[in-house]
Amino acid sequence: MRELFIEVLGLQPQFSSENTPAMERRGQIVRNKIPEGLRGWRALSKGAALPFQGRIAVHGRDGTGRKTFIPWVRIHSPELSPSAQNGWYVVFLFEPDGGGVSLCISHGSTRFDGQTYVPRQPTEIAPLLAWARETIGAEAVADGFAPGVDLQSNAQLGRAYEHTTAYSKRYSRAAFPSDQEMQADLAGAVGLLGSLYRQLDLGLGPESQPPEIAAAVEAANQISRPGAPPQGGGQGFGLTTEERKLVEMRAMTVAREWLSDNGFAQVKDTSAKASFDYTAVKEGDEFIIEVKGTTSAGEKILITAAEIAVHRERHPQNILLVVSKIELLDMRKKAMGGVIDARVGWEVGSAALEPIAYRCELDP
């Protein structure tokens, strides 16, 4: 593998947008030989430090049609990063002058505007990079990765790659590491990527939906279009049925404690038979209580039409309790923590409701 990387770097000074013999050879190595070799490395096996049963893919590109001056080899989850324009991934980026290659933890750097791929705007990139560096920064630095990347290029595409890279480790052509060193570094990079993916899976990334909303959207899509591929747009698999139950039970526990601490009595669990989770009495008034538990920050929740109807009917003797940032511990076998947002006398009209699916009654 070391020799293949060095060969690509040696071909870089011969760059041409045409498929010259040098570029044809570069393409064979980048698209085929390096990905094939990487797939045999332990870091990319089914025991890799990624969620989703080790689903991981490796692809190399050196241009579609015309050759590109920065070829790359990308390691990613097919669900959380379905294309090089979407999501987080590990990528080897080759410098245009052949001086070195960087192993990077990067995000998709461009968007398709209908005609061509354009770089993402700084206002979009800044929160993504800030979140990634907060999430994996300490571990990345400990593994020898540095913030950002310098590809020695002033071209627009090179700058776009630089602006969307959280961390990188550079290999100089003049002092290229052994296969063993690269394997260890790649294992570390894949582990960092797995940490980001796990946070996204819990709905804790800037672009990620709460897992319960992502699951509802996917369920609606599958009912409407059975057999169609997942439409998550890089959301991943979300939580299992068992994990969702753990989150729900933890939210119910936290909510009941809140009711007790705030002077509510005669608390009854109605979740099995009504469109709300508890009833409770305070100062002679009976309240209905809806409890929403989530591993996300709780800025969005999933609520049904029946739940909305009962909140409107029982207002102002109604309460919405959102228990956010619930942690799944011990290999996701235990739920702990939770931050409660209590809204007594919640007015449904104060929330921005966005439909996930419609019942459509057709004219006769």
Side-chain angles (χ1 to χ4, degrees):
M1 290 295 291
R2 178 179 185 273
E3 289 73 20
L4 291 174
F5 278 87
I6 291 174
E7 186 176 355
V8 172
L9 293 175
L11 293 168
Q12 283 295 84
Q14 303 178 52
F15 171 74
S16 170
S17 61
E18 304 298 327
N19 196 30
T20 63
M23 293 298 95
E24 183 178 3
R25 174 59 180 169
R26 190 189 74 166
Q28 291 172 350
I29 299 172
V30 169
R31 294 194 307 271
N32 301 315
K33 292 185 177 296
I34 290 178
E36 181 180 347
L38 291 177
R39 291 185 190 109
W41 282 8
R42 184 174 181 179
L44 306 188
S45 70
K46 289 187 176 181
L50 285 172
F52 313 150
Q53 298 79 48
R55 281 179 58 86
I56 191 166
V58 186
H59 295 100
R61 293 291 293 274
D62 70 327
T64 303
R66 300 177 70 83
K67 299 296 181 179
T68 182
F69 58 91
I70 301 180
W72 48 258
V73 178
R74 187 171 77 101
I75 299 103
H76 62 104
S77 158
E79 288 76 27
L80 284 169
S81 179
S83 76
Q85 288 74 48
N86 301 103
W88 289 95
Y89 45 81
V90 168
V91 62
F92 288 98
L93 295 173
F94 292 85
E95 294 171 11
D97 66 0
V101 59
S102 291
L103 173 61
C104 307
I105 296 96
S106 301
H107 190 278
S109 59
T110 60
R111 285 190 181 278
F112 190 66
D113 67 358
Q115 295 182 329
T116 187
Y117 289 101
V118 297
R120 291 175 182 258
Q121 295 299 310
T123 53
E124 181 182 7
I125 292 302
L128 291 170
L129 288 181
W131 169 76
R133 287 170 178 162
E134 180 181 359
T135 301
I136 63 172
E139 186 180 355
V141 172
D143 286 347
F145 288 82
V149 67
D150 183 358
L151 296 174
Q152 308 293 316
S153 172
N154 292 320
Q156 184 184 58
L157 185 58
R159 291 197 303 271
Y161 289 153
E162 291 174 347
H163 292 163
T164 53
T165 293
Y167 290 96
S168 69
K169 181 175 288 191
R170 182 178 185 269
Y171 304 131
S172 168
R173 182 186 175 193
F176 213 83
S178 67
D179 279 13
Q180 290 74 20
E181 291 175 282
M182 290 183 66
Q183 286 203 49
D185 288 343
L186 184 59
V190 168
L192 294 170
L193 182 65
S195 295
L196 294 180
Y197 282 172
R198 288 185 179 88
Q199 293 299 300
L200 293 171
D201 198 34
L202 297 175
L204 294 173
E207 289 188 334
S208 58
Q209 289 274 23
E212 56 276 4
I213 293 180
V217 170
E218 188 56 43
N221 287 335
Q222 289 299 307
I223 291 171
S224 176
R225 298 174 61 83
Q231 301 293 310
Q235 286 297 320
F237 290 116
L239 304 184
T240 65
T241 300
E242 293 77 13
E243 290 164 354
R244 288 196 296 271
K245 186 64 176 178
L246 286 172
V247 170
E248 177 187 351
M249 291 172 63
R250 177 60 186 170
M252 291 288 283
T253 298
V254 174
R256 190 167 195 130
E257 291 172 353
W258 182 91
L259 291 169
S260 177
D261 291 343
N262 285 271
F264 288 86
Q266 301 177 42
V267 179
K268 295 180 182 178
D269 186 338
T270 58
S271 58
K273 58 183 180 180
S275 295
F276 44 87
D277 294 298
Y278 287 120
T279 59
V281 175
K282 185 174 183 179
E283 298 176 357
D285 291 323
E286 183 184 68
F287 289 77
I288 62 161
I289 299 97
E290 180 65 36
V291 180
K292 295 295 180 182
T294 180
T295 56
S296 72
E299 296 169 347
K300 298 179 181 179
I301 60 171
L302 183 68
I303 191 164
T304 68
E307 291 166 349
I308 288 174
V310 75
H311 272 280
R312 285 175 170 157
E313 177 186 348
R314 297 291 294 268
H315 182 269
Q317 275 74 48
N318 66 315
I319 302 172
L320 174 66
L321 298 179
V322 179
V323 186
S324 62
K325 297 183 179 180
I326 294 174
E327 297 180 79
L328 289 172
L329 307 175
D330 299 339
M331 303 295 290
R332 294 191 173 188
K333 301 296 185 183
K334 182 179 181 181
M336 293 295 292
V339 178
I340 196 159
D341 176 7
R343 306 195 178 207
V344 179
W346 180 53
E347 295 188 35
V348 174
S350 65
L353 300 176
E354 180 181 350
I356 289 176
Y358 290 95
R359 182 184 63 204
C360 178
E361 297 185 8
L362 302 177
D363 293 335

